[in-house]
Amino acid sequence: MDRIAILNELKKLLAPYTEKKEMLANIHEDTDLVKDLKINSANLVDIIIEAESKYKIEIDFDMASKMYTVGNCIDVISAKFNQPG
Amino acid sequence: MISIGNDIVSLDHPNRGRALDERFYSKFLSRTELGLFPPGNNSSLSLDAFIWLSWSVKEAAFKYLKRIIPDLIFSPVRFILEDFLDLGNYGISGSKPDYGLFRDAPGTLFGGRVGFDSHTLHFKSAVFKGWVHSVVLGDENFKRVVERVRRIDNPSYDDQAKAVRIFSLESLGRIFPNSDLQIEKHPYGYPRVRQKDGKILPVPVSFSHDGSFVAYCFRVG
């Protein structure tokens, strides 16, 4: 799965957690989930769990703490998704 | 540097029901921290309220340290609850917290310590029906802390952000009259208060909001 495909999937996953729909429509790799999309930090864990379910991956503590921009999220999902075996 | 941090969690938010899902709480609470529950044999605290209280303590501790460590990134698992006490209806350092509109509502206070690397911070938390609120300091002197929780009608992000600034300025204005105070955001992201003479008020403030609740705190003296 390439980065653009993951970004497009991320838009759907983030949609229920942000009121900034215009910003969401134009997200890019530097978009900050808290500062730009105004996502409540308590919802970040929900987003991580949904990403785990969607991609059938497990995101550990250290990885989760790096998911504060869209680009970071794509890095983590892509690394896990493309992990062999 | 003097600092303060706070966080509020609305327990009525649709996603808050996930608290008891192990996949959820295991992302930020270790087994050792979970072992701090319940805080005493007679505590009425529920497990889901404990989980959200723990979250709010860690978030408030992050806000406290963000002033001291500007490039800090919130990683809740690195903030470790060290102890956790049920303080009853009123209490830490003899202070009686005033939750404004909620002062007559039944609620319980909790307190303890939270660690981050070499830092040991102190927290005071309140659990009321519908919300959990925590304040974090670098010491145990909560007597000089003004903290308030208010309910607002419109829970949109912009309204939350606007309301918490208005409420905090009302409160600060009573303590510092004729100062024509204004809230601004420090480049590192935390709020600070500027006086009409252009100087920054040496009073650390912290804002939080979630759902229909907004909260602020500041430390005077």
mmCIF file of all heavy atoms in Angstrom, chain B residues 128-165:
data_model
loop_
_atom_site.group_PDB
_atom_site.id
_atom_site.type_symbol
_atom_site.label_atom_id
_atom_site.label_comp_id
_atom_site.label_asym_id
_atom_site.label_seq_id
_atom_site.Cartn_x
_atom_site.Cartn_y
_atom_site.Cartn_z
ATOM 1 N N PHE B 128 -16.278 14.260 39.291
ATOM 2 C CA PHE B 128 -17.672 14.643 39.501
ATOM 3 C C PHE B 128 -18.518 13.862 38.505
ATOM 4 O O PHE B 128 -17.984 13.202 37.615
ATOM 5 C CB PHE B 128 -17.864 16.142 39.271
ATOM 6 C CG PHE B 128 -17.466 16.995 40.442
ATOM 7 C CD1 PHE B 128 -16.146 17.077 40.841
ATOM 8 C CD2 PHE B 128 -18.421 17.708 41.146
ATOM 9 C CE1 PHE B 128 -15.773 17.867 41.920
ATOM 10 C CE2 PHE B 128 -18.056 18.500 42.219
ATOM 11 C CZ PHE B 128 -16.731 18.577 42.603
ATOM 12 N N LYS B 129 -19.830 13.957 38.646
ATOM 13 C CA LYS B 129 -20.689 13.280 37.680
ATOM 14 C C LYS B 129 -20.494 13.946 36.311
ATOM 15 O O LYS B 129 -20.744 15.127 36.170
ATOM 16 C CB LYS B 129 -22.150 13.403 38.113
ATOM 17 C CG LYS B 129 -23.113 12.582 37.290
ATOM 18 C CD LYS B 129 -24.516 12.696 37.826
ATOM 19 C CE LYS B 129 -25.471 11.758 37.099
ATOM 20 N NZ LYS B 129 -25.504 11.977 35.668
ATOM 21 N N GLY B 130 -20.011 13.193 35.356
ATOM 22 C CA GLY B 130 -19.885 13.722 34.003
ATOM 23 C C GLY B 130 -18.503 14.201 33.617
ATOM 24 O O GLY B 130 -18.237 14.395 32.438
ATOM 25 N N TRP B 131 -17.611 14.409 34.569
ATOM 26 C CA TRP B 131 -16.274 14.871 34.178
ATOM 27 C C TRP B 131 -15.211 14.534 35.227
ATOM 28 O O TRP B 131 -15.510 14.298 36.396
ATOM 29 C CB TRP B 131 -16.264 16.376 33.910
ATOM 30 C CG TRP B 131 -16.804 17.258 35.004
ATOM 31 C CD1 TRP B 131 -18.098 17.685 35.144
ATOM 32 C CD2 TRP B 131 -16.087 17.828 36.098
ATOM 33 N NE1 TRP B 131 -18.209 18.491 36.250
ATOM 34 C CE2 TRP B 131 -16.997 18.594 36.851
ATOM 35 C CE3 TRP B 131 -14.759 17.770 36.518
ATOM 36 C CZ2 TRP B 131 -16.628 19.300 38.004
ATOM 37 C CZ3 TRP B 131 -14.386 18.472 37.666
ATOM 38 C CH2 TRP B 131 -15.326 19.229 38.389
ATOM 39 N N VAL B 132 -13.975 14.538 34.739
ATOM 40 C CA VAL B 132 -12.788 14.321 35.574
ATOM 41 C C VAL B 132 -11.835 15.462 35.271
ATOM 42 O O VAL B 132 -11.634 15.809 34.098
ATOM 43 C CB VAL B 132 -12.114 12.981 35.192
ATOM 44 C CG1 VAL B 132 -10.756 12.855 35.837
ATOM 45 C CG2 VAL B 132 -12.987 11.808 35.567
ATOM 46 N N HIS B 133 -11.255 16.061 36.301
ATOM 47 C CA HIS B 133 -10.342 17.181 36.078
ATOM 48 C C HIS B 133 -9.087 17.018 36.935
ATOM 49 O O HIS B 133 -9.184 16.634 38.106
ATOM 50 C CB HIS B 133 -11.038 18.500 36.446
ATOM 51 C CG HIS B 133 -10.166 19.700 36.261
ATOM 52 N ND1 HIS B 133 -9.795 20.520 37.295
ATOM 53 C CD2 HIS B 133 -9.565 20.214 35.156
ATOM 54 C CE1 HIS B 133 -9.013 21.493 36.822
ATOM 55 N NE2 HIS B 133 -8.870 21.326 35.541
ATOM 56 N N SER B 134 -7.926 17.289 36.363
ATOM 57 C CA SER B 134 -6.663 17.181 37.107
ATOM 58 C C SER B 134 -5.824 18.433 36.945
ATOM 59 O O SER B 134 -5.822 19.062 35.887
ATOM 60 C CB SER B 134 -5.845 15.982 36.601
ATOM 61 O OG SER B 134 -6.525 14.783 36.854
ATOM 62 N N VAL B 135 -5.119 18.772 38.023
ATOM 63 C CA VAL B 135 -4.139 19.867 38.014
ATOM 64 C C VAL B 135 -2.799 19.281 38.445
ATOM 65 O O VAL B 135 -2.754 18.475 39.384
ATOM 66 C CB VAL B 135 -4.540 20.992 38.992
ATOM 67 C CG1 VAL B 135 -3.460 22.069 39.047
ATOM 68 C CG2 VAL B 135 -5.866 21.602 38.582
ATOM 69 N N VAL B 136 -1.735 19.677 37.770
ATOM 70 C CA VAL B 136 -0.392 19.195 38.112
ATOM 71 C C VAL B 136 0.517 20.367 38.437
ATOM 72 O O VAL B 136 0.526 21.385 37.738
ATOM 73 C CB VAL B 136 0.198 18.346 36.956
ATOM 74 C CG1 VAL B 136 1.704 18.155 37.129
ATOM 75 C CG2 VAL B 136 -0.494 16.989 36.889
ATOM 76 N N LEU B 137 1.279 20.206 39.532
ATOM 77 C CA LEU B 137 2.279 21.193 39.954
ATOM 78 C C LEU B 137 3.618 20.480 40.196
ATOM 79 O O LEU B 137 3.651 19.250 40.322
ATOM 80 C CB LEU B 137 1.864 21.851 41.276
ATOM 81 C CG LEU B 137 0.588 22.691 41.328
ATOM 82 C CD1 LEU B 137 0.381 23.204 42.758
ATOM 83 C CD2 LEU B 137 0.661 23.856 40.352
ATOM 84 N N GLY B 138 4.658 21.282 40.363
ATOM 85 C CA GLY B 138 5.955 20.720 40.689
ATOM 86 C C GLY B 138 6.144 20.527 42.186
ATOM 87 O O GLY B 138 7.156 19.978 42.628
ATOM 88 N N ASP B 139 5.201 21.014 42.982
ATOM 89 C CA ASP B 139 5.242 20.826 44.438
ATOM 90 C C ASP B 139 3.827 20.553 44.929
ATOM 91 O O ASP B 139 2.888 20.469 44.120
ATOM 92 C CB ASP B 139 5.847 22.068 45.126
ATOM 93 C CG ASP B 139 5.062 23.317 44.797
ATOM 94 O OD1 ASP B 139 3.856 23.348 45.088
ATOM 95 O OD2 ASP B 139 5.647 24.260 44.211
ATOM 96 N N GLU B 140 3.687 20.456 46.259
ATOM 97 C CA GLU B 140 2.368 20.070 46.778
ATOM 98 C C GLU B 140 1.512 21.255 47.196
ATOM 99 O O GLU B 140 0.463 21.068 47.802
ATOM 100 C CB GLU B 140 2.555 19.160 47.995
ATOM 101 C CG GLU B 140 3.083 17.790 47.643
ATOM 102 C CD GLU B 140 3.201 16.925 48.882
ATOM 103 O OE1 GLU B 140 4.237 17.004 49.564
ATOM 104 O OE2 GLU B 140 2.245 16.194 49.174
ATOM 105 N N ASN B 141 1.967 22.457 46.902
ATOM 106 C CA ASN B 141 1.244 23.624 47.395
ATOM 107 C C ASN B 141 0.095 24.016 46.457
ATOM 108 O O ASN B 141 0.220 24.935 45.648
ATOM 109 C CB ASN B 141 2.214 24.793 47.587
ATOM 110 C CG ASN B 141 1.567 25.923 48.366
ATOM 111 O OD1 ASN B 141 0.380 25.856 48.699
ATOM 112 N ND2 ASN B 141 2.339 26.948 48.640
ATOM 113 N N PHE B 142 -1.023 23.325 46.614
ATOM 114 C CA PHE B 142 -2.185 23.608 45.772
ATOM 115 C C PHE B 142 -3.037 24.748 46.332
ATOM 116 O O PHE B 142 -4.038 25.117 45.728
ATOM 117 C CB PHE B 142 -3.040 22.343 45.621
ATOM 118 C CG PHE B 142 -2.432 21.322 44.685
ATOM 119 C CD1 PHE B 142 -1.529 20.387 45.160
ATOM 120 C CD2 PHE B 142 -2.742 21.315 43.341
ATOM 121 C CE1 PHE B 142 -0.958 19.458 44.306
ATOM 122 C CE2 PHE B 142 -2.174 20.390 42.475
ATOM 123 C CZ PHE B 142 -1.274 19.457 42.962
ATOM 124 N N LYS B 143 -2.622 25.278 47.507
ATOM 125 C CA LYS B 143 -3.416 26.347 48.119
ATOM 126 C C LYS B 143 -3.487 27.585 47.248
ATOM 127 O O LYS B 143 -4.447 28.331 47.302
ATOM 128 C CB LYS B 143 -2.812 26.740 49.473
ATOM 129 C CG LYS B 143 -3.058 25.729 50.566
ATOM 130 C CD LYS B 143 -2.427 26.215 51.855
ATOM 131 C CE LYS B 143 -2.622 25.191 52.956
ATOM 132 N NZ LYS B 143 -1.920 25.567 54.182
ATOM 133 N N ARG B 144 -2.454 27.831 46.480
ATOM 134 C CA ARG B 144 -2.402 29.057 45.674
ATOM 135 C C ARG B 144 -2.937 28.844 44.255
ATOM 136 O O ARG B 144 -2.745 29.685 43.393
ATOM 137 C CB ARG B 144 -0.968 29.575 45.620
ATOM 138 C CG ARG B 144 -0.453 30.026 46.966
ATOM 139 C CD ARG B 144 0.951 30.554 46.848
ATOM 140 N NE ARG B 144 1.477 30.974 48.133
ATOM 141 C CZ ARG B 144 1.231 32.142 48.686
ATOM 142 N NH1 ARG B 144 0.474 33.009 48.066
ATOM 143 N NH2 ARG B 144 1.748 32.443 49.864
ATOM 144 N N VAL B 145 -3.564 27.709 44.048
ATOM 145 C CA VAL B 145 -4.086 27.416 42.716
ATOM 146 C C VAL B 145 -5.564 27.778 42.641
ATOM 147 O O VAL B 145 -6.351 27.416 43.497
ATOM 148 C CB VAL B 145 -3.906 25.917 42.380
ATOM 149 C CG1 VAL B 145 -4.614 25.579 41.065
ATOM 150 C CG2 VAL B 145 -2.437 25.570 42.291
ATOM 151 N N VAL B 146 -5.899 28.524 41.611
ATOM 152 C CA VAL B 146 -7.310 28.792 41.308
ATOM 153 C C VAL B 146 -7.683 27.874 40.154
ATOM 154 O O VAL B 146 -7.019 27.883 39.114
ATOM 155 C CB VAL B 146 -7.525 30.267 40.893
ATOM 156 C CG1 VAL B 146 -8.964 30.479 40.444
ATOM 157 C CG2 VAL B 146 -7.162 31.197 42.038
ATOM 158 N N GLU B 147 -8.703 27.047 40.340
ATOM 159 C CA GLU B 147 -9.112 26.128 39.288
ATOM 160 C C GLU B 147 -10.632 26.155 39.165
ATOM 161 O O GLU B 147 -11.350 26.225 40.156
ATOM 162 C CB GLU B 147 -8.622 24.712 39.594
ATOM 163 C CG GLU B 147 -9.090 24.178 40.931
ATOM 164 C CD GLU B 147 -8.394 22.884 41.306
ATOM 165 O OE1 GLU B 147 -8.634 21.877 40.643
ATOM 166 O OE2 GLU B 147 -7.628 22.905 42.281
ATOM 167 N N ARG B 148 -11.087 26.158 37.950
ATOM 168 C CA ARG B 148 -12.526 26.231 37.717
ATOM 169 C C ARG B 148 -12.911 25.325 36.548
ATOM 170 O O ARG B 148 -12.172 25.205 35.570
ATOM 171 C CB ARG B 148 -12.951 27.653 37.354
ATOM 172 C CG ARG B 148 -12.745 28.686 38.444
ATOM 173 C CD ARG B 148 -13.773 28.560 39.553
ATOM 174 N NE ARG B 148 -13.644 29.641 40.514
ATOM 175 C CZ ARG B 148 -12.777 29.658 41.532
ATOM 176 N NH1 ARG B 148 -11.948 28.646 41.705
ATOM 177 N NH2 ARG B 148 -12.747 30.690 42.352
ATOM 178 N N VAL B 149 -14.084 24.735 36.677
ATOM 179 C CA VAL B 149 -14.666 23.955 35.585
ATOM 180 C C VAL B 149 -16.020 24.561 35.276
ATOM 181 O O VAL B 149 -16.784 24.870 36.190
ATOM 182 C CB VAL B 149 -14.836 22.478 35.996
ATOM 183 C CG1 VAL B 149 -15.583 21.695 34.913
ATOM 184 C CG2 VAL B 149 -13.489 21.828 36.269
ATOM 185 N N ARG B 150 -16.298 24.791 34.005
ATOM 186 C CA ARG B 150 -17.591 25.366 33.626
ATOM 187 C C ARG B 150 -18.199 24.532 32.506
ATOM 188 O O ARG B 150 -17.496 23.973 31.675
ATOM 189 C CB ARG B 150 -17.400 26.812 33.118
ATOM 190 C CG ARG B 150 -16.746 27.756 34.109
ATOM 191 C CD ARG B 150 -17.759 28.394 35.038
ATOM 192 N NE ARG B 150 -18.659 29.282 34.349
ATOM 193 C CZ ARG B 150 -18.521 30.621 34.298
ATOM 194 N NH1 ARG B 150 -17.482 31.204 34.875
ATOM 195 N NH2 ARG B 150 -19.429 31.364 33.691
ATOM 196 N N ARG B 151 -19.509 24.501 32.510
ATOM 197 C CA ARG B 151 -20.226 23.829 31.423
ATOM 198 C C ARG B 151 -20.614 24.882 30.375
ATOM 199 O O ARG B 151 -21.012 25.994 30.739
ATOM 200 C CB ARG B 151 -21.485 23.152 31.969
ATOM 201 C CG ARG B 151 -22.203 22.288 30.937
ATOM 202 C CD ARG B 151 -23.587 21.897 31.438
ATOM 203 N NE ARG B 151 -23.548 21.032 32.598
ATOM 204 C CZ ARG B 151 -23.472 19.703 32.542
ATOM 205 N NH1 ARG B 151 -23.417 19.101 31.384
ATOM 206 N NH2 ARG B 151 -23.464 18.980 33.646
ATOM 207 N N ILE B 152 -20.486 24.537 29.106
ATOM 208 C CA ILE B 152 -20.897 25.470 28.053
ATOM 209 C C ILE B 152 -21.985 24.809 27.199
ATOM 210 O O ILE B 152 -22.115 23.585 27.195
ATOM 211 C CB ILE B 152 -19.710 25.913 27.163
ATOM 212 C CG1 ILE B 152 -19.035 24.703 26.503
ATOM 213 C CG2 ILE B 152 -18.705 26.712 27.967
ATOM 214 C CD1 ILE B 152 -18.016 25.081 25.453
ATOM 215 N N ASP B 153 -22.747 25.647 26.499
ATOM 216 C CA ASP B 153 -23.871 25.121 25.721
ATOM 217 C C ASP B 153 -23.425 24.489 24.410
ATOM 218 O O ASP B 153 -23.935 23.461 23.999
ATOM 219 C CB ASP B 153 -24.875 26.246 25.422
ATOM 220 C CG ASP B 153 -25.548 26.727 26.702
ATOM 221 O OD1 ASP B 153 -25.682 25.903 27.631
ATOM 222 O OD2 ASP B 153 -25.911 27.912 26.774
ATOM 223 N N ASN B 154 -22.479 25.143 23.752
ATOM 224 C CA ASN B 154 -22.058 24.649 22.433
ATOM 225 C C ASN B 154 -20.668 24.011 22.531
ATOM 226 O O ASN B 154 -19.688 24.700 22.781
ATOM 227 C CB ASN B 154 -22.015 25.823 21.445
ATOM 228 C CG ASN B 154 -21.791 25.334 20.036
ATOM 229 O OD1 ASN B 154 -21.379 24.191 19.812
ATOM 230 N ND2 ASN B 154 -22.064 26.184 19.063
ATOM 231 N N PRO B 155 -20.591 22.695 22.360
ATOM 232 C CA PRO B 155 -19.288 22.032 22.552
ATOM 233 C C PRO B 155 -18.382 22.037 21.325
ATOM 234 O O PRO B 155 -17.507 21.193 21.216
ATOM 235 C CB PRO B 155 -19.705 20.609 22.934
ATOM 236 C CG PRO B 155 -20.997 20.386 22.235
ATOM 237 C CD PRO B 155 -21.665 21.734 22.100
ATOM 238 N N SER B 156 -18.570 22.960 20.374
ATOM 239 C CA SER B 156 -17.653 22.978 19.232
ATOM 240 C C SER B 156 -16.275 23.451 19.699
ATOM 241 O O SER B 156 -16.159 24.170 20.689
ATOM 242 C CB SER B 156 -18.168 23.920 18.140
ATOM 243 O OG SER B 156 -17.953 25.262 18.515
ATOM 244 N N TYR B 157 -15.248 23.041 18.972
ATOM 245 C CA TYR B 157 -13.879 23.364 19.389
ATOM 246 C C TYR B 157 -13.675 24.871 19.524
ATOM 247 O O TYR B 157 -13.118 25.352 20.507
ATOM 248 C CB TYR B 157 -12.868 22.801 18.379
ATOM 249 C CG TYR B 157 -11.443 23.082 18.782
ATOM 250 C CD1 TYR B 157 -10.723 22.167 19.539
ATOM 251 C CD2 TYR B 157 -10.827 24.282 18.445
ATOM 252 C CE1 TYR B 157 -9.430 22.441 19.939
ATOM 253 C CE2 TYR B 157 -9.535 24.570 18.849
ATOM 254 C CZ TYR B 157 -8.846 23.641 19.594
ATOM 255 O OH TYR B 157 -7.561 23.931 20.002
ATOM 256 N N ASP B 158 -14.141 25.618 18.556
ATOM 257 C CA ASP B 158 -13.914 27.068 18.587
ATOM 258 C C ASP B 158 -14.614 27.714 19.779
ATOM 259 O O ASP B 158 -14.071 28.630 20.406
ATOM 260 C CB ASP B 158 -14.382 27.707 17.277
ATOM 261 C CG ASP B 158 -13.485 27.298 16.111
ATOM 262 O OD1 ASP B 158 -12.334 26.906 16.359
ATOM 263 O OD2 ASP B 158 -13.941 27.355 14.962
ATOM 264 N N ASP B 159 -15.822 27.231 20.083
ATOM 265 C CA ASP B 159 -16.541 27.792 21.237
ATOM 266 C C ASP B 159 -15.869 27.415 22.552
ATOM 267 O O ASP B 159 -15.821 28.206 23.492
ATOM 268 C CB ASP B 159 -18.002 27.330 21.234
ATOM 269 C CG ASP B 159 -18.819 28.095 20.213
ATOM 270 O OD1 ASP B 159 -18.586 29.297 20.056
ATOM 271 O OD2 ASP B 159 -19.683 27.488 19.560
ATOM 272 N N GLN B 160 -15.366 26.200 22.619
ATOM 273 C CA GLN B 160 -14.642 25.780 23.828
ATOM 274 C C GLN B 160 -13.442 26.693 24.065
ATOM 275 O O GLN B 160 -13.227 27.186 25.177
ATOM 276 C CB GLN B 160 -14.126 24.341 23.670
ATOM 277 C CG GLN B 160 -15.184 23.256 23.642
ATOM 278 C CD GLN B 160 -14.568 21.925 23.220
ATOM 279 O OE1 GLN B 160 -13.546 21.880 22.525
ATOM 280 N NE2 GLN B 160 -15.185 20.834 23.641
ATOM 281 N N ALA B 161 -12.664 26.884 22.988
ATOM 282 C CA ALA B 161 -11.441 27.680 23.106
ATOM 283 C C ALA B 161 -11.752 29.130 23.494
ATOM 284 O O ALA B 161 -11.050 29.743 24.307
ATOM 285 C CB ALA B 161 -10.663 27.629 21.794
ATOM 286 N N LYS B 162 -12.819 29.660 22.913
ATOM 287 C CA LYS B 162 -13.204 31.046 23.209
ATOM 288 C C LYS B 162 -13.700 31.157 24.659
ATOM 289 O O LYS B 162 -13.310 32.076 25.393
ATOM 290 C CB LYS B 162 -14.310 31.467 22.238
ATOM 291 C CG LYS B 162 -14.648 32.921 22.247
ATOM 292 C CD LYS B 162 -15.679 33.206 21.141
ATOM 293 C CE LYS B 162 -16.204 34.627 21.266
ATOM 294 N NZ LYS B 162 -17.307 34.868 20.330
ATOM 295 N N ALA B 163 -14.562 30.219 25.049
ATOM 296 C CA ALA B 163 -15.165 30.280 26.387
ATOM 297 C C ALA B 163 -14.107 30.194 27.484
ATOM 298 O O ALA B 163 -14.157 30.939 28.471
ATOM 299 C CB ALA B 163 -16.186 29.156 26.553
ATOM 300 N N VAL B 164 -13.154 29.307 27.322
ATOM 301 C CA VAL B 164 -12.182 29.123 28.405
ATOM 302 C C VAL B 164 -11.311 30.377 28.572
ATOM 303 O O VAL B 164 -10.913 30.731 29.689
ATOM 304 C CB VAL B 164 -11.338 27.840 28.174
ATOM 305 C CG1 VAL B 164 -10.270 28.031 27.108
ATOM 306 C CG2 VAL B 164 -10.721 27.368 29.478
ATOM 307 N N ARG B 165 -11.081 31.077 27.478
ATOM 308 C CA ARG B 165 -10.309 32.331 27.576
ATOM 309 C C ARG B 165 -11.125 33.421 28.272
ATOM 310 O O ARG B 165 -10.612 34.159 29.118
ATOM 311 C CB ARG B 165 -9.872 32.773 26.172
ATOM 312 C CG ARG B 165 -8.655 31.989 25.696
ATOM 313 C CD ARG B 165 -8.478 31.980 24.201
ATOM 314 N NE ARG B 165 -7.271 31.240 23.820
ATOM 315 C CZ ARG B 165 -7.165 29.913 23.837
ATOM 316 N NH1 ARG B 165 -8.180 29.165 24.208
ATOM 317 N NH2 ARG B 165 -6.028 29.312 23.499
#
